[in-house]
Amino acid sequence: MALASNETILVTGASGKFGRAVIGHLLTTYAVPAKQIIATTRKPETLADLSAKGITVRTADFDDEASLAKAFTGATRLLIVSTDALDRPGRRLEQHLRAVAAAKAAGVKHIAYTSMMHPDADSPIGFAADHRGTEEAIKASGISHTILRNAWYMENLVMSLPSALASGQWYVATGKGTTAHAARDDQARTAAAVLASGTNDNAVYNVTGPQALTSDETAALVSEAVGKPLQVVHVTPDQLQAGMIAAGVPDFLAPVFVSFDVNALKDRSGTLSDAVTTLSGVKPQTLKQWLGANKALFAA
């Protein structure tokens, strides 16, 4: 299927890196006319460049249902990019539920949503409940949907590895568990493909990279790419949390970061899928390929 000329795609969080990448692929990879795209954000002034291209830019505040209802007017295909509201447990789910309700009120025909892999009730990751609850609300809405359960970004490695490279040691609690990291751009292109295709499949996809790697395998690739030694030091989750707090990570954030490692330890982040290729028609980048193009990020 292809996008009909009377359909309009709306991308939330359009000022973020993922939202901008999705819009970029809509315009270039899938040749969606700018007049058929709506970009929403809390700060529309940051999207002046998109407005100049003919894209409709609107204000949308996920804490204000009235603003969402107004922003979603006229949209037929909607991408809800999950928000980053993690300051209070449950706040992000509340935001997403407002968005789903506003989409239904606006007559949106299809919702795509960026979820996480394995957002089950027994997930060690606290915010899995936000994604699980959002998926349930979308399914209960009666609106056709595509759930994109994105694997961890390769870009997330930039949060921890520059300091690890500086010391030469990377402390992890992943054991032999694996992670199927995917490049943000590959996942954004996949989301754009879903929006531009016009399909209404009520499907759930894991959107992963092509490999599931252990921390040791990841460290070896990073070390090779940047030309610096990186020793993986395996510790327990409790030891990792204590070390993070001692290093200055806030008490409330340390358990969140540790839970990512526990997720891998329990083999919940290494599920592989061919969704990127199936949906976008392009093979996802390997970590080695991505590091080759982005190794400068680890020099910071």
Side-chain angles (χ1 to χ4, degrees):
M1 295 181 65
L3 186 71
S5 60
N6 63 346
E7 291 196 88
T8 301
I9 294 171
L10 189 150
V11 178
T12 72
S15 59
K17 292 180 180 179
F18 187 86
R20 275 190 170 272
V22 171
I23 291 174
H25 280 295
L26 287 173
L27 291 171
T28 58
T29 307
Y30 301 107
V32 175
K35 65 181 180 180
Q36 287 182 254
I37 301 174
I38 300 171
T40 71
T41 176
R42 287 175 298 175
K43 299 178 179 179
E45 65 275 10
T46 63
L47 299 182
D49 59 317
L50 298 185
S51 180
K53 293 179 180 179
I55 291 173
T56 298
V57 175
R58 295 176 180 170
T59 302
D61 185 344
F62 274 61
D63 290 317
D64 180 357
E65 191 166 338
S67 108
L68 292 173
K70 184 176 180 180
F72 291 177
T73 299
T76 56
R77 298 181 68 78
L78 166 67
L79 174 64
I80 299 177
V81 178
S82 56
T83 74
D84 58 0
L86 298 175
D87 57 317
R88 172 174 60 79
R91 182 185 171 205
R92 176 159 65 171
L93 177 56
E94 293 168 3
Q95 292 180 329
H96 293 174
L97 294 182
R98 291 188 194 100
V100 174
K104 187 167 186 176
V108 169
K109 303 301 182 185
H110 190 84
I111 296 176
Y113 170 63
T114 59
S115 187
M116 63 171 277
M117 288 171 46
H118 301 299
D120 315 296
D122 61 348
S123 173
I125 297 177
F127 56 71
D130 295 338
H131 291 295
R132 185 171 64 254
T134 304
E135 289 188 14
E136 291 170 352
I138 290 171
K139 293 172 183 177
S141 73
I143 301 172
S144 75
H145 53 270
T146 306
I147 306 298
L148 301 169
R149 290 180 170 173
N150 287 344
W152 298 137
Y153 294 156
M154 291 177 180
E155 286 80 356
N156 288 350
L157 293 169
V158 181
M159 293 190 295
S160 59
L161 287 186
S163 60
L165 284 163
S167 69
Q169 293 183 316
W170 184 23
Y171 289 85
V172 303
T174 55
K176 296 181 180 180
T178 60
T179 299
H181 285 103
R184 181 192 290 119
D185 191 64
D186 287 333
Q187 293 179 328
R189 185 178 60 254
T190 302
V194 169
L195 295 169
S197 67
T199 57
N200 301 297
D201 53 4
N202 291 337
V204 178
Y205 297 96
N206 289 323
V207 187
T208 78
Q211 303 165 299
L213 303 175
T214 65
S215 293
D216 292 275
E217 291 169 331
T218 298
L221 289 172
V222 172
S223 178
E224 178 185 0
V226 303
K228 291 183 179 180
L230 183 60
Q231 176 191 6
V232 176
V233 181
H234 292 277
V235 297
T236 67
D238 287 343
Q239 289 171 330
L240 183 61
Q241 181 168 319
M244 285 183 173
I245 292 173
V249 177
D251 290 7
F252 72 94
L253 273 181
V256 176
F257 292 146
V258 172
S259 74
F260 301 157
D261 279 35
V262 174
N263 201 50
L265 180 66
K266 294 187 175 183
D267 290 324
R268 303 177 68 95
S269 61
T271 304
L272 287 174
S273 163
D274 62 357
V276 170
T277 303
T278 299
L279 295 173
S280 76
V282 179
K283 291 183 178 180
Q285 300 170 71
T286 64
L287 181 58
K288 184 173 183 177
Q289 290 171 328
W290 183 85
L291 287 168
N294 294 278
K295 60 185 177 182
L297 296 175
F298 296 89

